[in-house]
Amino acid sequence: MKFEVTCLMLSQISTSFSIISYYLCHHPQVKQKMINEIDSIFPQNTPFNMKYEDLLKLEYCDAVINEVSRIRPTGNEFPRYVENPCEVAGYLWDAGTMFHINMNGIHLHKEHWPNPEIFDPDRFYKKDPNERHKFSLVTFGGGLRDCPGRKLATIELLSLIVLVFRKYDIELVDMNAPLVTKSSIVNSCEELKVRIRPRN
Ligand code: HEM
């Protein structure tokens, strides 16, 4: 069981990284802005020393992670079980009802996200998270049972982005190929053909 949970977490990280790479290749100006930020915090031709405090300075990379996980979350839903009768959205629900909270429905909701189908990391860049609804982004769930691994997952993704994009450029082999994902408990990236070249 422990092994399965660990695999699930790792598959979420690797799928997130694949989806990030896919979106960056389709939005070269975003990729360039991200690379500029990485180069400003971890300059080329200087000894490379990846520190936690420096990773936290990568605000644009963080915005890219948030925007990719908004538009293409690795999860589909998370459940909530009600022990007592309750009212939700103007309806009365019996005790024992199981709700399945639809992440895509929330992440693409026009009331919370203008032009929700458009990929735009600037929605998150240097923005105060308190200015939007606290459950408008539920990549890591929400409330009492939200993901305790969210900070670790974000730091892992930021580290991976720095390690790869500081040294290498990634291109899609076929710009017209769709992102192939398989949906089970979570979505996993099944195939993403890329060309990786050293930068410079
Ligand atoms: C990109 C990576 C990850 C994503 C997208 C993700 C997402 C989620 C989501 C949506 C939930 C359900 C939250 C809810 O019901 O409100 C969850 C729960 C959980 N996650 Fe993550 N997670 C990730 C990485 C991790 C990591 C790295 C760990 C541990 C090291 C972790 C540990 C857990 C645990 C233990 C729960 C159950 C919490 C509970 O039921 O109280 N997750 N995660």
Side-chain angles (χ1 to χ4, degrees):
M1 177 69 181
K2 242 189 214 168
F3 178 71
E4 281 167 19
V5 171
T6 309
C7 287
L8 192 66
M9 299 313 155
L10 286 176
S11 94
Q12 297 242 66
I13 300 288
S14 68
T15 291
S16 300
F17 186 72
S18 303
I19 304 177
I20 289 169
S21 304
Y22 175 87
Y23 274 90
L24 289 174
C25 291
H26 278 278
H27 298 84
Q29 73 291 0
V30 172
K31 182 161 84 170
Q32 193 53 54
K33 195 166 166 184
M34 201 194 76
I35 289 170
N36 291 347
E37 184 181 63
I38 294 171
D39 286 352
S40 73
I41 311 252
F42 300 98
Q44 299 282 329
N45 307 321
T46 54
F48 178 55
N49 184 6
M50 196 161 60
K51 289 195 201 131
Y52 175 71
E53 308 83 78
D54 288 334
L55 289 171
L56 295 184
K57 293 178 193 159
L58 296 166
E59 290 180 88
Y60 191 69
C61 296
D62 189 57
V64 170
I65 294 174
N66 275 324
E67 178 64 349
V68 171
S69 63
R70 180 191 69 80
I71 208 157
R72 203 76 187 239
T74 52
N76 296 312
E77 53 120 323
F78 54 98
R80 287 294 182 270
Y81 169 87
V82 289
E83 286 189 342
N84 300 305
C86 64
E87 190 189 320
V88 174
Y91 296 92
L92 291 174
W93 302 90
D94 292 335
T97 301
M98 180 72 93
F99 289 90
H100 294 270
I101 300 167
N102 174 358
M103 287 184 174
N104 273 308
I106 295 174
H107 287 186
L108 299 179
H109 202 296
K110 288 193 179 104
E111 262 176 38
H112 301 297
W113 305 105
N115 302 316
E117 313 286 345
I118 292 178
F119 175 74
D120 176 15
D122 283 335
R123 298 173 196 276
F124 293 98
Y125 186 47
K126 295 188 188 287
K127 298 274 162 47
D128 178 357
N130 298 317
E131 277 173 15
R132 57 179 156 79
H133 192 291
K134 67 173 178 171
F135 296 129
S136 54
L137 186 76
V138 288
T139 319
F140 293 104
L144 283 179
R145 304 305 299 259
D146 77 353
C147 176
R150 61 192 307 158
K151 286 198 173 158
L152 177 62
T154 306
I155 282 295
E156 281 176 352
L157 277 171
L158 286 170
S159 310
L160 203 48
I161 286 172
V162 170
L163 288 170
V164 174
F165 287 96
R166 187 173 175 271
K167 285 272 166 219
Y168 303 97
D169 188 34
I170 294 186
E171 282 172 5
L172 294 182
V173 169
D174 177 1
M175 286 296 278
N176 297 317
L179 192 57
V180 184
T181 54
K182 187 172 152 198
S183 191
S184 58
I185 303 176
V186 293
N187 299 313
S188 54
C189 182
E190 289 291 283
E191 182 181 276
L192 183 70
K193 287 191 180 150
V194 294
R195 205 174 283 118
I196 302 176
R197 290 204 188 92
R199 281 176 57 196
N200 306 321

